[in-house]
Amino acid sequence: MARTSRQTLAPPSATSLRRLYGHSKPPPSAASAFRKAAAVLLLAAAVALPCAVLYRAVVSNTPPPVQVASDRQQWDPPLAPVMVPEAEEGSHRDPISADDPDSEYLKLEQVLQEASMDNKTIILTTLNAAWSSPGSVIDLFIDSFRHGVRTSSLLKHLVIIAFDWKAYKRCTEVHTYCYALVTDNVDFSQEKRFLTAGYLEMMWKRLDFLRLVLEKGYSFIFSDADIMWFRNPFPYFYPDGDFQVACDHYVGNSTDLRNIANGGFNYVKSNNQSIEFYKYWYSSRLRYPGYHDQDVLNFIKHDPYIMDIGLTIKFLSTTYFGGICEPSKDLNEVCTMHANCCIGLQSKLHDLRIIMEDWRDYMSMPLSLKTFGAFSWRVPQNCSLSLLNQ
């Protein structure tokens, strides 16, 4: 039997491959498939990368959406009110720190806004512990509003500025609007005798505070707390006066600079002229060391600079705005009565109580007797003009 010879097989031809796979192309090799997959991935990356960069830029510059609360959404509760801390007995520590001026100015703005009249006018007085004890000056001051003619409604526009924590705490017990004007390392709580260093410092601090109120856009009546209010004073002010001030002595003309001004009662309109005037008045303390604000006012009222800034000064007649220095003679016309020309708290309190008794007696009189005008003040008694000249 013949052996089959071993023959070498020839590689398949293209024709034979076409027969095997029909007319389709031969399957791609692995390397070719990898190259094509890589090309697809590179194309996808080339398209996706710019899109991602563009999206990121748009998102980063878009403000966050406004969250609109539904009726069912629960709002955060308001902040708890600030409580005035108690101080140890005999301590002079102020409960409200002056370390954060911005916070204090916000508190001041809030109390001024709440007490303000529609035309941004307020009534201001100052208080320290010596004048704040029960039955003392502040109680008489508030009581006069309640017994005056068309004055009780003005109490809702009164802001009491407390120089120390005791006065502030007492204020919150008797009145709605109180503000603590504290000074680090300075004790304003005790009685400040006339023209002592403590008295002068307190008066100048008060004046600088009033400048701040004007800069905040508020006009004001400033009244010492030892002034009794018996009639609404607004109808008795001049329409064209920027700075209107009461007098220890009135010569009969509202523009005469010989009038002796009393800084304890004034009506000031907030404008550029009055703000500049208060800055000038405060800075003038350096020219007149040892003098209080009222003396310096009577010095600088003659300065040409007052005319240069365009300030209109009006002096208020003692017919309406009187005091122990020069009492209002007609109780049918009096608006305020000041315990000026009086040294010492006890002397003030004695004569202020007499003034309030006189007013109550006058108000209880029949109209016919009031019209007759026979009633007059029984002061001064403990207050004495002669003591001022000693």
Side-chain angles (χ1 to χ4, degrees), residues 122-322:
I122 53 178
I123 301 169
L124 298 170
T125 194
T126 50
L127 182 67
N128 70 347
W131 283 24
S132 66
S133 59
S136 190
V137 176
I138 192 62
D139 287 348
L140 292 170
F141 179 70
I142 293 175
D143 192 51
S144 71
F145 280 81
R146 293 172 178 157
H147 290 87
V149 178
R150 294 186 294 115
T151 52
S152 60
S153 62
L154 297 177
L155 281 172
K156 63 185 178 182
H157 304 298
L158 170 66
V159 178
I160 298 177
I161 309 302
F163 282 125
D164 57 84
W165 78 265
K166 289 183 179 179
Y168 179 79
K169 186 173 185 296
R170 170 69 173 145
C171 176
T172 61
E173 295 170 356
V174 299
H175 189 60
T176 305
Y177 301 117
C178 307
Y179 179 75
L181 182 63
V182 299
T183 302
D184 293 337
N185 303 319
V186 179
D187 177 20
F188 284 136
S189 64
Q190 302 302 313
E191 178 186 358
K192 303 302 179 186
R193 299 285 291 184
F194 188 64
L195 291 184
T196 61
Y199 174 87
L200 294 176
E201 186 172 0
M202 190 163 63
M203 293 302 99
W204 286 114
K205 182 176 180 65
R206 178 184 76 180
L207 186 76
D208 195 40
F209 174 79
L210 295 177
R211 182 267 312 163
L212 174 63
V213 173
L214 292 173
E215 289 184 341
K216 286 181 168 292
Y218 291 92
S219 303
F220 61 76
I221 297 177
F222 174 79
S223 172
D224 279 342
D226 62 344
I227 297 178
M228 304 295 99
W229 284 51
F230 297 131
R231 284 186 175 85
N232 186 334
F234 283 99
Y236 299 88
F237 293 143
Y238 297 93
D240 59 339
D242 300 314
F243 176 78
Q244 305 185 41
V245 60
C247 298
D248 284 344
H249 174 61
Y250 184 72
V251 301
N253 187 315
S254 65
T255 60
D256 195 324
L257 294 179
R258 293 177 300 166
N259 291 306
I260 308 302
N262 185 298
F265 186 92
N266 44 71
Y267 170 53
V268 190
K269 296 177 181 177
S270 176
N271 55 37
N272 292 335
Q273 291 79 13
S274 64
I275 292 171
E276 184 60 30
F277 170 66
Y278 267 74
K279 291 179 180 177
Y280 181 65
W281 187 359
Y282 182 73
S283 66
S284 296
R285 77 194 188 284
L286 303 177
R287 295 166 51 196
Y288 303 100
Y291 288 92
H292 64 93
D293 58 326
Q294 180 174 304
D295 283 338
V296 174
L297 170 61
N298 281 299
F299 297 151
I300 67 174
K301 67 187 179 184
H302 300 280
D303 289 2
Y305 184 71
I306 303 301
M307 184 175 295
D308 292 343
I309 64 176
L311 182 78
T312 301
I313 299 177
K314 294 287 188 179
F315 297 93
L316 301 172
S317 171
T318 51
T319 299
Y320 310 108
F321 304 93

Side-chain angles (χ1 to χ4, degrees), residues 12 19 25 28 77 80 93 104 147 152 169 186 234 252 288 305 359-360 364 366 375 378:
R19 289 195 187 103
K25 295 180 179 181
R93 178 178 59 83
E104 292 307 307
H147 290 87
S152 60
K169 186 173 185 296
V186 179
F234 283 99
Y288 303 100
Y305 184 71
W359 177 255
R360 289 191 184 95
S364 66
F375 198 88
R378 291 179 292 150

Side-chain angles (χ1 to χ4, degrees), residues 53-65:
V53 172
L54 180 60
Y55 175 78
R56 183 182 181 88
V58 171
V59 170
S60 63
N61 292 323
T62 302

